[in-house]
Amino acid sequence: MGSGVDPSLHAACEHARKDDERSRRREAPRVCTANSLARYWADDKPYVEDTEVVALPSFLSAADIEELAMAVSLGGKARNAGWASLSSTLQGVPHDVAFSDVHVALYLHRDGYFQTSHRELFCKCIAAMREQASSLCDPKAPLHVRCIEFHTYAEGGGLIEPDHRDNGSVLTMSALVSNPRDTSGGHFVTFSFGQPVVHELSRGDALLFSSERLHNVSTVAGGQRCALVIELWVQPTNSRDRFS
Ligand SMILES: O=C(O)CCC(=O)C(=O)O
Ligand SMILES: [Fe+2]
């Protein structure tokens, strides 16, 4: 594991290193289909871990971030997954799903809310994803919204499981909404040749990547981390969660 990587990512880093070795020896599948969620070999596609992670610095403006906060508080008003042991710091955060006591997400695409009520910001996000992704997928491929999620991680939260990929999606964008000065830990991590790459993001910065690339979020050690996450896929637009 490279220096400076949170120890909570030890297992994920070990997995990434071994997976990279096996993949380069062609002993492990290198590509996922976008349709069946199955992973398979494909000689005509680049190895997904060698594809670019596109940085979009200052992608969200201060006004965009204010608008997002409104979308969460008004659009997600009173939504709560009913997770009994949810951390008290997340009790007032609108959410549809709790991944743990300290990590929740709100589906902003539910019933097309974000697409209709925040159309300009939605179009800005999708246009950037399509325009900046020419190295990641066919620019003309018809892609639809799989999910538009607002994630909140409280202290102790993270996305540390080994082999985390957004299987089934084509493009993922993660934009940092919280101010990293108010958060300790909670770094977005990808892997290059099996080694962790810690992305030092400022508020409003976004990353765009092939959804099937390995990625993690190191454990938040203090404060909260908030991020807007958008996934596009070839299947029809979802209007409920990640799967429907
Ligand atoms: O919080 C993030 O930036 C990424 C979240 C993520 O990768 C996921 O929910 O699949
Ligand atoms: Fe993910």
Side-chain angles (χ1 to χ4, degrees), residues 83-88 91 101:
W83 185 275
S85 54
L86 193 70
S87 159
S88 59
Q91 297 285 347
D101 292 355

Side-chain angles (χ1 to χ4, degrees), residues 168-236:
S169 296
V170 176
L171 291 175
T172 298
M173 184 174 78
S174 169
L176 186 65
V177 175
S178 48
N179 190 334
R181 279 188 302 222
D182 303 332
T183 317
S184 145
H187 291 111
F188 198 92
V189 175
T190 55
F191 297 87
S192 176
F193 288 88
Q195 294 302 308
V197 176
V198 180
H199 297 269
E200 297 290 344
L201 301 177
S202 298
R203 185 181 224 173
D205 290 354
L207 296 172
L208 175 62
F209 54 93
S210 278
S211 302
E212 291 157 355
R213 264 196 83 120
L214 288 171
H215 55 281
N216 291 96
V217 175
S218 67
T219 302
V220 170
Q224 287 194 352
R225 174 184 185 273
C226 298
L228 173 70
V229 177
I230 301 181
E231 291 180 30
L232 302 182
W233 68 352
V234 297
Q235 302 203 43

Side-chain angles (χ1 to χ4, degrees), residues 32-38 40 45 126 129-130 136-147 166-172 211-212 230-238 242-243:
C32 307
T33 69
N35 291 321
S36 68
L37 314 189
Y40 71 106
K45 289 193 178 168
I126 301 304
M129 290 178 77
R130 296 312 308 257
L136 304 179
C137 68
D138 175 358
K140 290 194 288 292
L143 294 179
H144 309 114
V145 169
R146 181 186 196 172
C147 57
D166 300 338
N167 286 336
S169 296
V170 176
L171 291 175
T172 298
S211 302
E212 291 157 355
I230 301 181
E231 291 180 30
L232 302 182
W233 68 352
V234 297
Q235 302 203 43
T237 301
N238 280 338
R242 288 180 180 180
F243 297 99

Side-chain angles (χ1 to χ4, degrees), residues 34-89:
N35 291 321
S36 68
L37 314 189
R39 297 177 70 196
Y40 71 106
W41 277 100
D43 286 323
D44 57 337
K45 289 193 178 168
Y47 175 32
V48 71
E49 296 305 323
D50 289 342
T51 59
E52 198 183 354
V53 176
V54 181
L56 306 174
S58 305
F59 174 67
L60 294 176
S61 67
D64 293 339
I65 288 173
E66 244 176 67
E67 183 172 339
L68 265 175
M70 239 168 53
V72 170
S73 62
L74 296 180
K77 204 170 179 174
R79 296 222 303 254
N80 187 310
W83 185 275
S85 54
L86 193 70
S87 159
S88 59
T89 55

Side-chain angles (χ1 to χ4, degrees), residues 120-131:
E120 217 174 293
L121 184 51
F122 166 72
C123 290
K124 171 179 167 170
C125 294
I126 301 304
M129 290 178 77
R130 296 312 308 257
E131 283 161 19

